Amino acid sequence: MNNHQHAQRYAQHGLRIIPIKPGTKHPPNRNWQNNATNNPDTINRWWNGIYPNHGIGLALGPQPNGHNLFALDLDNHGHGDGHTELANLEHIHGPLPTTWTAITGNGNTHLILQAPTHVTIRNQQASGNRIAPNIDVRGEGGQILIEPTLHPDTGQPYQWKPGHAPWDIEPAHAPQWLLNLVTEPDPTPTPTKAAPMPPPRNDDLFAAHRADWNWHHQLQQRGWTQTRQHGNDTYWARPGKNPRDGHSAILHGTDGPLVIFTTEIDPAWTHAGTRTTDGSGWSFGPFGFYAATEHHGDRSAAARALNQHYNPTPTHTTTIPDITVGDDAETPTELAHLINWDQFWTQTHLDEDWIAWPLIPRGRTVALYAPAKAGKSTIVLSVIAAACTGQQPLNNNETPQTPASILYLDYEMTAADLHERLTALGYGPQHNLEHLHYALLPSFPPLDTPEGAQHLVRLALKLQVDAVIVDTFGRAVAGDENDADTVRNFYRCTGQALKQRGIAVLRTDHSGKDPDKGQRGSSAKNDDV
C-alpha cells in the first residue's frame, strides 16, 4: 500500500492523522493539532492534492475512537539505551502489557498506550522528564511518525512490529506506575506576599511595576487556580474552569512570562500580549497581563493608571499616547526581542503557515507588482474574498478552512467598481463577507507617518485581522513613492508595527517600464519582503 492507502486505513480505525513533509519529522503547517483528522474526504484531498508523497503522523491525545493515546520513544544515542532503561523500570514496577509497537526508521522503538480519558499527558523531553534519560514521552499536542513514513536521516521506513499494529490489537491501558511517571505532579503550594504599597515615586513605571509584581499572588487574586508544578514552571486554570479539565496557561519560573493558550484567551487580551513563535498561545509580562486583566487589553490605559499610581503628585508631565507603534513590551530588553538561545534550539520551526495560499503567508510582508491594468487588484480580491469565506483561494475542491479576517485598504476603486468585480468573481448577497473588512478610499493619514500607522494599527487590532492589504502603495504614502526614504518610513512606521503583532501585509505596486527589473522606483521596495 502507498502512503495514501495507509492514511485511509488509519482513519478507518478512528485515528487522527496528519501529513508529514518529506525529509522531515513535522507537518507542513502550524495548525496541525487542529487539522489532524480521520475524515476520509480530507485525507483524499491531502494526499491527492496539496500534500502528495507526504508521510503520515499520528496526532496523540484523544482520538475519535475514544482512545487517549500517548507514546514512549525509546532512543539509543550511544551514551544510553532507552530499551535497557525501560527494562530496569519494568523490573522494579512490573512489565508493560502488550501494546502497539513500532520500529522507527533508525532502529529505535515506539510504544503507544492508552491513558484514562480524564488524564492529560503532555510532551516530555528525555532530558527533563522523570522516566529515564533516553525515554521521551509524546502526548497531547504531540505526534509521532508511523508506517510507512521514511526517516529523514536514514531513509528507512517506520514499521509496525508484526502483530502489534492498530489493526492487530487494541492499545494497552498504561499501568498506574507508568501513569504516575508521565503525568504532572500535584502542585506545591507557593507562598504569596501581601499586595505591595506604592512607593513614594518612581519615574520608571514599568520597572516599579515589575519590582512589585508577584505572579502567584496576582493570579490567585484574579481567580486563577494552580493545578500543578513541573520543575520551575507552574500550570494554571483560568477563572471558572474546573482544574480537573486541564490547565489554561503556563507560568515559566517565578518571573514569567505567563503563556496562555490561544483557545483559552479573551480576544481583547491579545492586544496586550505577544503571540508565541509556534502560534499556540500568547505571552504576557507583568505589565501586559495587568493591561489585559484590568484594562481589557488597553496598554495605554494601563500605562496611565500606573502613572497615576506611582506618581500621584508628579513634578513634571509625562505624555502617554493612545498607541505607541512598536512598543510591545515594557522594558528595553523586551523591546529588542532578544532571542533566548536555549529555547530557540529546542523549538520546532515549522514551514510557512498560509492565510491565503500561495499569496499571503502569516505574519509576513508581500509585494505584488505588475504593469498598470494587468489585474493585480482583481487577483488579490479573488484570493482574499475566498480566504475570508473559508475557501481555499486557488482550489475549490480543497478542504474548507477557518475564514481569515482581512482588512483591505482600497485607495483606487469606487463602490460601483467593487460591486462589478465581486459580481464577476461570483459573489453576491448570499455570501457571508463579514470577515472581509473593506475600507473604500480611506482617509487615513499617510502610512509613511507615525500618525497614519497609529490609525491603521489601532483599527487592525480592533478588528483582530490576520492581514492588511494596501492597494496601491503609491496612493497610501505622502512621500515620493520612488524615494527610498518613503519606502523605509512606511516599513518603520506601519510595516514593522503590524509585523510585530503577527499581522501580515500585502501591498500592490506598479512595475517599471521593464517588469523583469521589479517594482517601479527605488530598490528599497524590495528590502522588507
Side-chain angles (χ1 to χ4, degrees), residues 73 104 107 109 131 147 150 197 207 231 285 339 342 363 365 390 402 412 445 453 469:
D73 183 3
T104 69
T109 302
I131 296 182
E147 182 181 324
L150 301 180
M197 295 296 292
I339 288 178
D342 290 336
T365 301
T402 302
E412 296 190 342
I469 311 298

Short mmCIF file of all heavy atoms in Angstrom, two decimals, residues 73 104 107 109 131 147 150 197 207 231 285 339 342 363 365 390 402 412 445 453 469:
data_model
loop_
_atom_site.label_atom_id
_atom_site.label_comp_id
_atom_site.label_asym_id
_atom_site.label_seq_id
_atom_site.Cartn_x
_atom_site.Cartn_y
_atom_site.Cartn_z
N ASP A 73 9.04 6.91 23.46
CA ASP A 73 10.05 6.87 22.40
C ASP A 73 11.35 6.40 23.03
O ASP A 73 12.00 7.15 23.76
CB ASP A 73 10.19 8.25 21.78
CG ASP A 73 11.17 8.28 20.62
OD1 ASP A 73 11.70 7.21 20.25
OD2 ASP A 73 11.40 9.37 20.08
N THR A 104 11.20 2.33 14.59
CA THR A 104 11.39 3.59 13.87
C THR A 104 12.39 3.41 12.74
O THR A 104 13.08 2.39 12.64
CB THR A 104 11.88 4.69 14.82
OG1 THR A 104 13.22 4.40 15.24
CG2 THR A 104 10.98 4.79 16.05
N GLY A 107 15.84 2.44 13.83
CA GLY A 107 16.03 1.25 14.65
C GLY A 107 15.61 1.37 16.09
O GLY A 107 15.80 0.43 16.86
N THR A 109 12.45 2.38 19.07
CA THR A 109 11.13 1.79 19.31
C THR A 109 10.14 2.83 19.80
O THR A 109 10.49 3.69 20.61
CB THR A 109 11.22 0.65 20.35
OG1 THR A 109 12.16 -0.34 19.89
CG2 THR A 109 9.87 0.00 20.57
N ILE A 131 11.27 9.85 33.68
CA ILE A 131 11.29 8.42 33.35
C ILE A 131 12.73 7.93 33.26
O ILE A 131 13.20 7.17 34.09
CB ILE A 131 10.54 8.16 32.03
CG1 ILE A 131 9.07 8.50 32.21
CG2 ILE A 131 10.68 6.69 31.62
CD1 ILE A 131 8.24 8.24 30.99
N GLU A 147 4.18 4.09 10.14
CA GLU A 147 4.36 3.35 8.88
C GLU A 147 3.45 3.91 7.79
O GLU A 147 2.27 4.22 8.07
CB GLU A 147 4.01 1.87 9.14
CG GLU A 147 4.18 0.96 7.95
CD GLU A 147 3.81 -0.47 8.27
OE1 GLU A 147 4.07 -0.94 9.41
OE2 GLU A 147 3.25 -1.15 7.37
N LEU A 150 9.15 7.57 5.83
CA LEU A 150 10.60 7.36 5.80
C LEU A 150 11.27 8.28 6.82
O LEU A 150 10.92 9.46 6.95
CB LEU A 150 11.16 7.64 4.41
CG LEU A 150 10.60 6.79 3.26
CD1 LEU A 150 11.27 7.18 1.95
CD2 LEU A 150 10.80 5.31 3.55
N MET A 197 2.47 48.17 48.77
CA MET A 197 2.07 49.57 48.81
C MET A 197 2.90 50.31 47.77
O MET A 197 4.06 50.00 47.53
CB MET A 197 2.35 50.16 50.20
CG MET A 197 1.50 49.53 51.29
SD MET A 197 -0.26 49.85 51.05
CE MET A 197 -0.27 51.63 51.34
N ALA A 207 9.49 49.49 35.50
CA ALA A 207 10.43 48.87 36.43
C ALA A 207 9.82 48.77 37.82
O ALA A 207 9.97 47.75 38.51
CB ALA A 207 11.74 49.67 36.47
N GLY A 231 9.06 21.22 37.68
CA GLY A 231 10.30 21.97 37.75
C GLY A 231 10.02 23.37 38.28
O GLY A 231 9.35 23.54 39.31
N GLY A 285 4.12 39.58 29.96
CA GLY A 285 4.89 40.02 31.10
C GLY A 285 3.94 40.64 32.12
O GLY A 285 2.72 40.71 31.90
N ILE A 339 16.67 37.00 21.32
CA ILE A 339 16.44 35.56 21.25
C ILE A 339 16.99 34.87 22.48
O ILE A 339 18.12 35.14 22.91
CB ILE A 339 17.08 34.97 19.98
CG1 ILE A 339 16.29 35.39 18.74
CG2 ILE A 339 17.17 33.44 20.05
CD1 ILE A 339 16.88 34.90 17.44
N ASP A 342 18.62 29.09 24.37
CA ASP A 342 18.24 27.76 24.87
C ASP A 342 16.87 27.35 24.33
O ASP A 342 16.66 26.21 23.92
CB ASP A 342 18.22 27.75 26.41
CG ASP A 342 19.63 27.85 26.99
OD1 ASP A 342 20.58 27.48 26.28
OD2 ASP A 342 19.76 28.31 28.14
N GLY A 363 1.96 36.57 9.05
CA GLY A 363 2.98 37.36 9.71
C GLY A 363 4.06 37.91 8.81
O GLY A 363 5.03 38.49 9.29
N THR A 365 5.46 40.01 5.06
CA THR A 365 5.18 41.13 4.17
C THR A 365 5.37 40.67 2.73
O THR A 365 6.37 40.01 2.41
CB THR A 365 6.12 42.31 4.46
OG1 THR A 365 5.94 42.73 5.82
CG2 THR A 365 5.84 43.48 3.54
N GLY A 390 -13.74 31.20 3.95
CA GLY A 390 -13.39 29.84 4.34
C GLY A 390 -13.07 28.92 3.19
O GLY A 390 -13.09 27.71 3.36
N THR A 402 -10.87 27.63 8.21
CA THR A 402 -11.43 28.69 9.05
C THR A 402 -11.30 30.02 8.32
O THR A 402 -10.22 30.36 7.84
CB THR A 402 -10.68 28.76 10.38
OG1 THR A 402 -10.78 27.51 11.04
CG2 THR A 402 -11.26 29.86 11.26
N GLU A 412 -8.23 53.13 -4.68
CA GLU A 412 -8.45 53.42 -6.09
C GLU A 412 -9.89 53.27 -6.56
O GLU A 412 -10.39 54.07 -7.33
CB GLU A 412 -7.54 52.53 -6.95
CG GLU A 412 -6.05 52.79 -6.72
CD GLU A 412 -5.18 52.09 -7.74
OE1 GLU A 412 -5.68 51.15 -8.40
OE2 GLU A 412 -4.01 52.47 -7.89
N PRO A 445 -4.31 59.25 7.70
CA PRO A 445 -3.07 59.98 7.42
C PRO A 445 -2.12 59.05 6.65
O PRO A 445 -2.27 57.82 6.70
CB PRO A 445 -2.52 60.31 8.82
CG PRO A 445 -3.72 60.26 9.72
CD PRO A 445 -4.60 59.20 9.15
N ALA A 453 0.26 55.28 10.78
CA ALA A 453 0.49 53.95 11.34
C ALA A 453 -0.36 53.72 12.58
O ALA A 453 -0.93 52.64 12.77
CB ALA A 453 1.98 53.79 11.67
N ILE A 469 -4.24 44.55 3.50
CA ILE A 469 -3.91 44.74 2.09
C ILE A 469 -3.84 46.24 1.83
O ILE A 469 -4.77 46.98 2.18
CB ILE A 469 -4.99 44.11 1.17
CG1 ILE A 469 -5.30 42.68 1.60
CG2 ILE A 469 -4.54 44.17 -0.28
CD1 ILE A 469 -4.14 41.72 1.53
#
